[in-house]
Amino acid sequence: MVVSKMIDKIRFSIFSPEMVRKISAVKITVPDTYNDDSYPIDGGLVDPRMGVIDPGLKCKTCGGKLRSCPGHFAHIELVRPVIHPEFSRVMLHVLKNTCPACKRILVKDKAQAEHVMTALEEEEAAAEAKAAKSSARRICCPHCKHKLEEIKLLKPTTFYRGKDIMLPTEVREWLAGVPDADIAALGLDPKYSRPEWMVITALLVPPVSVRPSITLETGDRSEDDLTHKLVDIMRINQRLEANINAGAPQLIIEDLWELVQYHVTTYFNNETANIPAARHRSGRPLKTLSQRLKGKEGRFRYNLSGKRVNFSARTVISPDPMISIDDVGVPMAIAEEMTVPVKITTWNMEWCKQFIISEKYPMAEYVVRPDGKRVRITETTRQEILDTLAPGSVVERQLMDGDTVLFNRQPSLHRISIMCHTVRVLPGRTLRLNPLVCPPYNADFDGDEMNLHVIQSEEARIEAEMLMKVHDQILSPRHGKSLIKPQEDYVSGAFFLTRMETEFDKEDACQILAASGVTRLPPADRKDMWSGKILFSTLLPSGLTCTIMSKFTRKLADGSPHPDNNIAIKNGILVSGALDNRALDEILERVIHLCGTDAARQFLDRSSKMEIATITRQGFSVSLANYSLSEEAVRKIETLQDSMRREIESVITQFKNKTLARLPGRSLKETLEDRIMSITSKTRDVSGELVEKYMGTDNTSIIMSKIGARGSLLNAIQMASMVGQQAVRSKRPNRGYRGRNLPHFARGDRGGPARGFVSSSFRKGLLATEFFQHSMGGRESLVNTAIRTARSGYMQRRLINALQDMVTSPDFSVRDSRGSVVQFLYGGDALDPMKSGAKAAVPAASSEPRDEMDV
Amino acid sequence: MTKKAESLPHQLRPEHIVLPDDEKKKILEKFNISEAQLPKIKRTDPALVGLEASVGDLIRIKRKDLSGDYDYFRRVIED
């Protein structure tokens, strides 16, 4: 059924007691649910007239069954009215601004009345200021000159008039007396939301389907929290009635009345301020109406904004460097479970029949006929289905190689957290991805899980392939630099492959080329040997020419600069230079601009395999020996630390003698700290130079840090020579005991070791005091990361909510959903960062994708 | 103490210019928008001190940043 109606407006208003009685199917009279025979009690809280939740039963109101009966509301007649806790502020507003005697609004003319209306919104902020003003101004009613008393609200539900408590009945009478015109002036719509309706006389009871009871394995019924709460309300309400009828003293009646009020308050919101939460027998607070809707686990954010989907799979991920970056390895168990609908045409009829005939993977389990009927393929139905198969039917076949899926890792912080992959069904029980695509997902393999979504329509498939394919996301949309790029061992591999001394005989050359999917052996460039450079060049597009300076500057034995320092590519041939990570990035970006993203994918796939082949062939590792320095170096570092110690001592002596020259804008103490910090950091730098010099350019650790594969020089320094100065809040640590960090030091010792200078190396091992101070610094950085993620997450949530409707229009202006201009030129230059790298700038909304250019 | 606050020419404060009516019309036509769809600036905004801008005027703001020089426009509104 098509409903061709537009929603014009929605009005939120308050139910009047009459309205509640009108829509109520039952008046609840018994404060109980089921009788001893476990039948619902008539007039009880699960009266069958409220609708049924047990299968097989019929609703006594509409005659519908489990599915067709929507449930019907009931109501409870409260013997004494109670205040609705969520509306008490509005009631206070009305009470404060009307006269208790004549019930008129406390202003004279119309202009003033309008002023009060806007005041409703400002109520909160201006409450105090207004209270002060009104008590001074309004001593008596402008209409009947009745003396006014101050109205106060003791949250959540108690009203005071002067010093006396106002009973809900009084509040109700007062509110009911306010004329419609004045209600409107106070900002309420008298037709739909009279304030006296905020005092509850008839409490609406939601249908049973809203609060279903659970049957435990033991056969016991366990009622919903809401039902429990309603039973409480009913029970006290009945006691109150009995007491009133018996003519009990006013005190007892008011106590019970108060109790009804408490139960109703917690029924609406069990986290009301100043009210103890109603608890379950086990001590767990009850989840009442407000708690169902509020917050992250509430109805809105959990059930309505967050949805669960079909055709998705989730499992642990693992790396597979042999598959393409576009691929995702899907375990057979998942492939067998998930289906792809294939529309049958005359052209694919035979192909589709295979799946119907097949009894093992790849097969189909259902066929959807053109009339929309789903038929299960079984031994008995198979032949009939095959015979009647016609174009227009849909076969739901299992997931196969080459299918398009979306792959996602949470948190989905940016658009490249969900990308489009091609399925490869592989053995094993994990989803596999090429380690090169870890950065966009921010994935690692320490137990990460990822989600897979199988695309169910051709339109969606095409859209995903055009917009979300992994190879279209190699460049980051944020800064236009590559995000999917060779890293770690790939970079090392590329370095060892392309450095000058690398050469292979014919067999090895063929092996390496074959491993990377190259089938043509280039002519040998060194007599009958092949250099690594010529092998790598087979992957480069012929038009590529560039020169890059390597970060890794080496020297030959005779002291002259190493020819590999200059990386030069001429017409797709790597002429000189050993590649580092920057050079690889540059080549990748140029390949994209030259040949498009699909060629870049192929380049990445092939080069990474070539790099792996190289590095597995020769082996690559670091060991303790990498960080053992010669005796000469150790001596030099010791001398360096000695001179640092002396320097610090001399500064401290100057500080104590007050002869230390103060730095501009700093106190004497700060000057001392600054000086010491600069001495320690200088020491570490100098020791870094020593480490670099003595470890040499053949040290694998140095190679890795220099070519940008893994680790930094700092890591090497900390392992080989000294860990250096620790810091807490970017200062030398000074906490713990009076005048000292640890009891190992003398009070007032401001020297290096006493304030977190670690002179040991990680290789040698830290002293107990050093270890402690190092842990202080380590703790700080750990705490910082934790805080940073939490805070930036919330910031981003707010930003996304604010910016989600922004659109770049064809004239390059950025508009919001109303068509208002936010930016006159997208980003100030109308450029898409992803397509505007250093090479070529392309307008943001350009319809011509760059990667379609000819090769 | 009775010195009047003037907006200072500062390297970070982009130049603000009041546009004549015909240019304003051109801008509205160029983006095919009504006045209400323009970004706003309060008449009392410190950036407008010393500028004879009245409510309804269109201000051109010459911005300079990493993406180059470009113009932004704001409609002057009442406080």
Side-chain angles (χ1 to χ4, degrees):
Chain A
M1 186 186 66
V2 180
V3 181
S4 57
K5 287 192 172 140
M6 291 272 283
I7 296 174
D8 179 41
K9 55 186 170 190
I10 299 174
R11 173 184 279 119
F12 290 96
S13 60
I14 304 167
F15 268 162
S16 67
E18 294 80 52
M19 196 65 193
V20 169
R21 290 181 194 115
K22 223 163 141 182
I23 67 164
S24 161
V26 208
K27 181 182 161 192
I28 308 285
T29 49
V30 189
D32 212 345
T33 50
Y34 294 94
N35 64 18
D36 298 335
D37 309 325
S38 76
Y39 269 99
I41 299 167
D42 262 12
L45 281 156
V46 289
D47 189 297
R49 281 170 289 182
M50 271 186 272
V52 285
I53 50 162
D54 307 283
L57 291 177
K58 267 194 180 165
C59 170
K60 281 194 180 169
T61 303
C62 66
K65 284 195 184 142
L66 184 58
R67 284 273 164 161
S68 55
C69 168
H72 311 279
F73 281 89
H75 78 282
I76 296 173
E77 287 290 344
L78 296 177
V79 195
R80 288 281 185 269
V82 291
I83 304 285
H84 192 306
E86 307 289 322
F87 285 121
S88 54
R89 293 249 291 283
V90 184
M91 284 186 260
L92 179 70
H93 169 70
V94 177
L95 293 177
K96 267 189 167 174
N97 294 299
T98 50
C99 163
C102 70
K103 314 287 194 258
R104 292 296 315 282
I105 190 165
L106 296 176
V107 275
K108 268 181 183 163
D109 54 41
K110 225 178 147 200
Q112 273 174 297
E114 267 161 15
H115 168 74
V116 176
M117 192 161 82
T118 52
L120 180 61
E121 291 137 29
E122 295 158 23
E123 176 81 8
E124 249 178 288
E128 264 183 13
K130 246 180 81 184
K133 239 194 252 168
S134 63
S135 62
R137 189 157 42 102
R138 297 182 191 144
I139 300 162
C140 57
C141 169
H143 303 285
C144 66
K145 307 294 172 218
H146 186 276
K147 196 160 175 289
L148 299 177
E149 281 168 295
E150 194 188 1
I151 308 290
K152 271 193 297 197
L153 169 64
L154 185 68
K155 277 182 182 159
T157 52
T158 321
F159 285 100
Y160 281 89
R161 178 182 178 181
K163 274 180 186 147
D164 307 321
I165 289 183
M166 283 175 84
L167 291 171
T169 36
E170 292 174 52
V171 175
R172 206 184 117 79
E173 272 165 37
W174 182 338
L175 295 174
V178 181
D180 277 359
D182 290 352
I183 296 290
L186 286 162
L188 297 166
D189 186 338
K191 205 169 156 200
Y192 296 97
S193 306
R194 287 282 317 179
E196 69 268 24
W197 300 343
M198 297 169 189
V199 182
I200 303 164
T201 49
L203 181 72
L204 200 62
V205 175
V208 199
S209 48
V210 172
R211 41 188 177 90
S213 61
I214 309 156
T215 317
L216 303 167
E217 295 119 66
T218 53
D220 297 340
R221 270 179 187 278
S222 174
E223 290 300 329
D224 190 271
D225 282 1
L226 276 189
T227 312
H228 279 303
K229 205 64 237 177
L230 288 165
V231 169
D232 289 342
I233 295 172
M234 270 308 291
R235 199 175 288 142
I236 306 303
N237 191 41
Q238 276 200 341
R239 263 201 13 228
L240 179 59
E241 188 175 19
N243 272 292
I244 292 167
N245 291 343
Q250 187 63 23
L251 207 67
I252 290 176
I253 291 177
E254 276 178 23
D255 273 0
L256 282 170
W257 194 349
E258 186 95 357
L259 200 53
V260 177
Q261 176 73 66
Y262 166 78
H263 284 307
V264 172
T265 307
T266 48
Y267 167 69
F268 285 114
N269 183 358
N270 204 13
E271 279 162 13
T272 315
N274 305 329
I275 288 275
R279 282 169 196 283
H280 201 251
R281 261 183 308 247
S282 62
R284 166 183 68 88
L286 293 175
K287 244 187 131 183
T288 51
L289 286 175
S290 223
Q291 279 67 53
R292 284 190 174 198
L293 311 176
K294 253 186 202 160
K296 207 173 184 175
E297 257 112 67
R299 197 91 325 139
F300 290 99
R301 276 174 72 181
Y302 194 79
N303 300 101
L304 292 168
S305 309
K307 292 190 177 91
R308 305 245 156 193
V309 294
N310 292 324
F311 305 105
S312 63
R314 177 186 174 92
T315 185
V316 177
I317 52 164
S318 56
D320 188 341
M322 302 317 284
I323 63 175
S324 165
I325 55 165
D326 270 2
D327 287 341
V328 57
V330 179
M332 182 56 98
I334 287 178
E336 282 176 337
E337 193 67 37
M338 310 193 88
T339 61
V340 179
V342 182
K343 196 127 193 168
I344 295 175
T345 60
T346 46
W347 301 284
N348 68 3
M349 180 86 95
E350 290 311 308
W351 184 66
C352 290
K353 276 186 177 171
Q354 288 173 30
F355 303 116
I356 302 172
I357 296 164
S358 171
E359 283 178 53
K360 58 180 206 310
Y361 178 86
M363 59 185 256
E365 219 174 324
Y366 286 95
V367 170
V368 185
R369 293 247 169 83
D371 59 1
K373 253 208 180 120
R374 284 166 67 88
V375 204
R376 196 188 161 91
I377 303 167
T378 59
E379 219 33 68
T380 46
T381 57
R382 179 165 290 133
Q383 199 50 52
E384 195 209 326
I385 292 170
L386 279 173
D387 294 342
T388 56
L389 203 64
S393 292
V394 173
V395 175
E396 291 181 349
R397 53 148 249 256
Q398 287 173 328
L399 196 65
M400 285 165 61
D401 279 8
D403 281 333
T404 301
V405 293
L406 299 184
F407 203 36
N408 158 240
R409 181 181 175 274
Q410 278 120 352
S412 312
L413 296 175
H414 49 191
R415 67 186 210 196
I416 38 191
S417 289
I418 306 178
M419 289 190 289
C420 171
H421 288 251
T422 307
V423 168
R424 286 188 73 173
V425 180
L426 294 170
R429 303 185 63 76
T430 54
L431 290 168
R432 304 199 211 170
L433 70 156
N434 190 305
L436 288 180
V437 282
C438 284
Y441 291 119
N442 191 20
D444 50 39
F445 304 106
D446 58 5
D448 289 24
E449 292 182 52
M450 282 180 73
N451 308 320
L452 185 105
H453 298 267
V454 178
I455 290 174
Q456 295 289 311
S457 78
E458 296 299 312
E459 294 90 330
R461 201 198 82 221
I462 294 296
E463 188 172 357
E465 280 172 6
M466 284 173 59
L467 299 172
M468 305 168 73
K469 247 320 159 45
V470 175
H471 65 247
D472 285 325
Q473 321 295 330
I474 294 172
L475 298 181
S476 162
R478 185 177 59 178
H479 48 244
K481 301 217 176 80
S482 56
L483 192 63
I484 298 170
K485 58 185 178 192
Q487 284 180 320
E488 309 210 350
D489 277 2
Y490 296 109
V491 177
S492 308
F495 172 77
F496 288 114
L497 177 69
T498 55
R499 68 176 177 172
M500 202 173 61
E501 46 272 55
T502 313
E503 52 183 24
F504 304 98
D505 59 20
K506 188 169 183 180
E507 175 163 355
D508 282 345
C510 288
Q511 288 282 345
I512 287 176
L513 288 176
S516 35
V518 178
T519 48
R520 186 172 295 160
L521 182 70
D525 59 338
R526 292 187 188 169
K527 284 182 205 160
D528 51 353
M529 295 291 267
W530 282 260
S531 71
K533 287 191 178 74
I534 200 75
L535 299 187
F536 188 80
S537 300
T538 56
L539 306 173
L540 298 172
S542 56
L544 184 62
T545 301
C546 65
T547 53
I548 310 149
M549 278 298 287
S550 173
K551 279 189 295 182
F552 192 18
T553 47
R554 290 181 294 166
K555 275 178 185 153
L556 288 174
D558 61 6
S560 58
H562 198 289
D564 273 351
N565 295 350
N566 273 316
I567 302 160
I569 300 172
K570 277 195 190 114
N571 289 321
I573 306 290
L574 180 61
V575 206
S576 80
L579 299 175
D580 62 4
N581 70 328
R582 284 216 333 259
L584 284 165
D585 292 357
E586 180 72 23
I587 293 171
L588 180 62
E589 276 165 41
R590 281 176 186 264
V591 169
I592 292 175
H593 287 118
L594 230 50
C595 311
T597 50
D598 197 52
R601 190 217 79 228
Q602 197 185 345
F603 171 73
L604 274 176
D605 285 342
R606 289 184 167 177
S607 63
S608 63
K609 281 179 189 160
M610 190 178 280
E611 286 146 11
I612 292 175
T614 316
I615 206 164
T616 32
R617 198 163 280 264
Q618 66 162 65
F620 185 70
S621 181
V622 290
S623 76
L624 207 52
N626 284 93
Y627 303 102
S628 310
L629 296 176
S630 65
E631 268 179 47
E632 190 194 343
V634 173
R635 229 179 306 119
K636 280 200 173 168
I637 287 166
E638 269 167 18
T639 330
L640 182 68
Q641 289 188 347
D642 278 342
S643 75
M644 179 199 81
R645 221 161 288 140
R646 275 195 300 277
E647 253 184 278
I648 292 179
E649 260 168 46
S650 106
V651 181
I652 292 177
T653 323
Q654 286 177 51
F655 170 74
K656 282 187 179 150
N657 299 339
K658 309 243 155 83
T659 50
L660 188 67
R662 273 175 49 208
L663 293 170
R666 320 237 69 182
S667 72
L668 202 59
K669 248 188 205 165
E670 288 167 344
T671 308
L672 175 71
E673 288 299 313
D674 280 7
R675 289 284 297 277
I676 294 176
M677 283 293 262
S678 73
I679 292 168
T680 54
S681 75
K682 190 188 77 198
T683 310
R684 202 173 59 186
D685 291 347
V686 176
S687 96
E689 284 161 26
L690 285 172
V691 167
E692 222 182 322
K693 187 175 154 204
Y694 282 94
M695 280 166 75
T697 49
D698 288 333
N699 189 306
T700 44
S701 183
I702 297 290
I703 292 177
M704 282 200 299
S705 72
K706 283 290 179 181
I707 62 175
R710 192 73 223 242
S712 61
L713 195 59
L714 181 66
N715 294 140
I717 296 169
Q718 289 194 322
M719 285 187 273
S721 82
M722 66 173 99
V723 175
Q725 180 66 51
Q726 298 303 305
V728 175
R729 296 193 174 174
S730 22
K731 286 197 175 76
R732 300 199 301 160
N734 59 340
R735 28 177 87 190
Y737 300 89
R738 187 171 13 126
R740 51 185 171 173
N741 287 352
L742 290 167
H744 306 68
F745 303 111
R747 220 167 255 155
D749 184 355
R750 292 173 189 275
R755 288 288 158 88
F757 184 80
V758 181
S759 51
S760 309
S761 65
F762 281 131
R763 182 179 172 281
K764 189 174 142 206
L766 270 57
L767 297 171
T769 52
E770 290 175 336
F771 181 81
F772 195 95
Q773 311 210 53
H774 179 245
S775 300
M776 290 167 74
R779 158 78 64 78
E780 192 194 42
S781 46
L782 225 56
V783 168
N784 281 347
T785 29
I787 292 171
R788 203 168 40 233
T789 39
R791 214 201 307 238
S792 65
Y794 182 44
M795 276 191 203
Q796 192 180 20
R797 212 182 114 79
R798 286 177 299 186
L799 267 180
I800 289 172
N801 280 336
L803 300 178
Q804 60 182 357
D805 296 325
M806 305 278 159
V807 155
T808 310
S809 54
D811 64 0
F812 298 120
S813 62
V814 178
R815 311 290 189 97
D816 65 12
S817 52
R818 280 168 26 248
S820 295
V821 178
V822 177
Q823 277 187 333
F824 289 90
L825 197 58
Y826 171 74
D829 53 11
L831 293 179
D832 178 353
M834 208 170 168
K835 290 169 182 164
S836 67
K839 287 6 143 257
V842 171
S846 152
S847 55
E848 278 282 305
R850 267 197 68 81
D851 36 288
E852 297 305 319
M853 273 165 57
D854 48 5
V855 179
Chain B
M1 294 305 275
T2 51
K3 244 186 182 172
K4 236 185 180 176
E6 283 277 328
S7 87
L8 299 166
H10 186 272
Q11 52 166 347
L12 293 178
R13 173 181 171 265
E15 195 182 340
H16 287 58
I17 304 159
V18 181
L19 284 185
D21 274 353
D22 57 323
E23 279 198 51
K24 175 179 170 176
K25 238 176 98 186
K26 259 191 231 160
I27 296 291
L28 291 178
E29 267 164 29
K30 185 182 165 200
F31 290 99
N32 191 21
I33 47 172
S34 66
E35 276 194 40
Q37 287 170 307
L38 284 165
K40 302 180 241 320
I41 186 167
K42 279 186 181 170
R43 203 179 41 138
T44 51
D45 193 292
L48 298 186
V49 173
L51 216 63
E52 305 225 332
S54 50
V55 172
D57 279 352
L58 194 62
I59 306 287
R60 160 183 280 149
I61 303 163
K62 290 186 160 176
R63 289 189 178 173
K64 285 179 189 132
D65 61 29
L66 289 174
S67 57
D69 299 0
Y70 61 97
D71 287 345
Y72 200 80
F73 303 95
R74 286 183 183 279
R75 181 173 56 96
V76 181
I77 55 158
E78 196 64 65
D79 241 331

